[in-house]
Amino acid sequence: MSKNVKNSDTGEILDLQSRHIPCPKSQQEFAIDVLLGLSHTHKWLPCKYIYDERGSLLFEQIMACPEYYLTDCEMEILKTYKKEIIAKIGKGKINLVELGAGSGEKTKILLQEMITDNIDVTFIPIDISSSAIRNFTTNLKKQLPGIKIKGLVSEYFKGIRWLSNLNCCTNVILFLGSNIGNFEPAGANVFLSSLWNACNDGDYLVTGFDLKKDIQLLLNAYNDSGGVTAEFNLNLLRRINNELGGDFDLKEFQYYSTFDAISGAMQSYLISRKKQYVVIDEINRMFSFKSWESIHTESSYKFLVDDIEKLASRNGFEIIEHFFDSKNYFMDSLWQVRKE
Ligand SMILES: C[S@@+](CC[C@H](N)C(=O)[O-])C[C@H]1O[C@@H](n2cnc3c(N)ncnc32)[C@H](O)[C@@H]1O
């Protein structure tokens, strides 16, 4: 996708990921992260690289899997409490900014309600996946004609730096889907403190948290019977093959996801089924894999309400209200930025 497409208030997409054409900086970062991750004693790859066009589509399929309760629970919360959430935020002019927006199915519930309430809202979805932003903005313009939308293709932290310039009205930041659970605990604090720095006093944050629950439900959610989550994780290796000239044989890697009771997270891996070597041309390296050696691909932390409240207070946010689904599997928490 080209950078800086169109200028109208209803259709702008700004691409911060491909600003350094012909040698996109994002591609260099991908290569460096792969080199660092696969050179580590315990091999790992950042989960953000799962999300190219195919990865984003696979994630939409995961959301439709019967085992993946997270989406239905958060959908229920937003449908049930949309009026309360909007009433707490107030009905002045707002920028609704969504980090890691994906297909935005749940966000439409809030947007539709804001438009019905005649709230002057500009929607700014931010996502590392350019196809997710392109599809979401196109669909939204059809479904909610006249909506003011500015899509931003960007990694979270670049997006956060960009949004520090937004001080014309109240900013309401959405971070749904328990995306926050993909950070290691220290990373979640860095993310929240960066967000706090970029926001103005009185801005709001709505964050989705997947709560701790029966382990079997967690195991089922990350090991769907259709194998979609396995394909989703394998997309990381497929991307390395396609974009960095890798020769991973995908059949020779097994997806494995388990709950780690000490960290309190679902931990996902791709495991080499045999001793093998993989060459990645773009970084001029060959990596060796022992039989059953793992590559860590994703952490998905699960939370207690107490953990969530500590995260808020440690990073300068006041908790306004917690909203739960009827099974208490998931929580959307509304916080306000406090600087004075
Ligand atoms: C688990 S999906 C959730 C999507 C959406 N928030 C929801 O609740 O349905 C994560 C989304 O965040 C995006 N994403 C992941 N890591 C990112 C990063 N580091 N910076 C920006 N976007 C990221 C992905 O492209 C994907 O669309």
Side-chain angles (χ1 to χ4, degrees):
M1 181 191 309
S2 64
K3 57 176 179 164
N4 251 338
V5 193
K6 285 199 266 170
N7 243 341
S8 85
D9 220 15
T10 50
E12 186 178 352
I13 292 178
L14 179 63
D15 190 340
L16 299 187
Q17 290 301 108
S18 50
R19 299 190 97 180
H20 301 274
I21 294 165
C23 182
K25 197 172 171 213
S26 56
Q27 209 60 12
Q28 288 174 9
E29 285 167 1
F30 184 27
I32 291 167
D33 286 343
V34 168
L35 173 60
L36 291 177
L38 295 184
S39 305
H40 200 273
T41 321
H42 302 291
K43 292 182 172 65
W44 72 287
L45 291 167
C47 64
K48 64 183 177 187
Y49 295 117
I50 300 177
Y51 295 94
D52 60 355
E53 182 161 13
R54 189 166 182 279
S56 293
L57 285 174
L58 284 165
F59 186 72
E60 285 184 42
Q61 291 176 27
I62 290 175
M63 290 197 296
C65 289
E67 299 93 338
Y68 197 77
Y69 59 84
L70 291 84
T71 307
D72 289 346
C73 291
E74 198 170 34
M75 190 77 96
E76 179 196 324
I77 295 172
L78 295 175
K79 281 187 180 156
T80 311
Y81 297 109
K82 58 189 177 190
K83 287 189 194 303
E84 278 91 331
I85 295 172
I86 292 170
K88 301 262 177 210
I89 290 165
K91 303 212 169 164
K93 186 173 178 198
I94 67 167
N95 290 316
L96 186 69
V97 180
E98 180 164 18
L99 289 162
S103 64
E105 278 311 309
K106 290 167 289 188
T107 314
K108 275 184 219 153
I109 299 168
L110 281 182
L111 275 171
Q112 176 67 70
E113 188 66 20
M114 286 177 173
I115 290 168
T116 308
D117 269 3
N118 289 318
I119 295 175
D120 184 354
V121 55
T122 301
F123 179 50
I124 305 166
I126 301 179
D127 202 291
I128 199 166
S129 162
S130 63
S131 67
I133 289 294
R134 206 172 46 233
N135 294 339
F136 188 18
T137 51
T138 309
N139 291 340
L140 210 54
K141 279 187 279 167
K142 280 191 206 135
Q143 290 162 0
L144 303 175
I147 184 165
K148 289 190 274 183
I149 178 165
K150 297 171 194 285
L152 190 64
V153 180
S154 169
E155 210 277 332
Y156 295 141
F157 287 92
K158 264 189 230 165
I160 289 173
R161 277 201 297 280
W162 179 88
L163 77 87
S164 62
N165 301 318
L166 285 182
N167 44 23
C168 61
C169 53
T170 305
N171 297 313
V172 179
I173 317 294
L174 301 179
F175 198 41
L176 305 182
S178 207
N179 290 7
I180 193 159
N182 294 138
F183 287 112
E184 297 304 316
N189 282 300
V190 171
F191 171 82
L192 289 171
S193 64
S194 310
L195 200 52
W196 183 91
N197 274 317
C199 284
N200 306 309
D201 184 46
D203 284 349
Y204 291 91
L205 172 62
V206 181
T207 310
F209 291 95
D210 193 17
L211 300 175
K212 285 193 169 149
K213 58 181 66 60
D214 186 296
I215 309 299
Q216 195 56 50
L217 288 167
L218 297 174
L219 292 171
N220 294 347
Y222 290 79
N223 293 282
D224 65 280
S225 53
V228 185
T229 316
E231 269 307 304
F232 173 72
N233 278 261
L234 282 164
N235 197 50
L236 248 168
L237 306 189
R238 194 183 295 273
R239 264 195 92 176
I240 295 174
N241 285 353
N242 294 342
E243 296 177 33
L244 300 179
D247 68 354
F248 278 102
D249 181 352
L250 270 54
K251 295 187 303 305
E252 299 299 348
F253 285 84
Q254 178 183 359
Y255 169 70
Y256 175 68
S257 187
T258 188
F259 184 70
D260 174 35
I262 294 174
S263 62
M266 285 299 297
Q267 300 290 2
S268 301
Y269 304 88
L270 292 170
I271 299 189
S272 177
R273 295 179 192 273
K274 62 176 192 186
K275 179 176 165 59
Q276 54 184 317
Y277 295 92
V278 172
V279 172
I280 304 178
D281 286 340
E282 286 292 313
I283 53 178
N284 206 15
R285 283 286 197 288
M286 183 168 73
F287 297 95
S288 70
F289 289 84
K290 300 186 196 88
S291 303
W292 309 112
E293 184 177 354
S294 63
I295 310 172
H296 180 254
T297 51
E298 192 180 58
S299 298
S300 302
Y301 279 81
K302 307 301 164 193
F303 298 86
L304 296 174
V305 174
D306 195 41
D307 305 329
I308 295 165
E309 294 183 343
K310 281 188 193 133
L311 267 180
S313 63
R314 222 175 258 159
N315 292 291
F317 295 91
E318 180 189 342
I319 295 166
I320 305 295
E321 194 157 343
H322 299 318
F323 300 94
F324 298 87
D325 65 292
S326 52
K327 297 189 191 113
N328 282 336
Y329 284 178
F330 202 92
M331 175 172 109
D332 276 334
S333 193
L334 173 65
W335 302 350
Q336 191 164 28
V337 176
R338 287 292 174 222
K339 298 213 168 180
E340 281 152 15

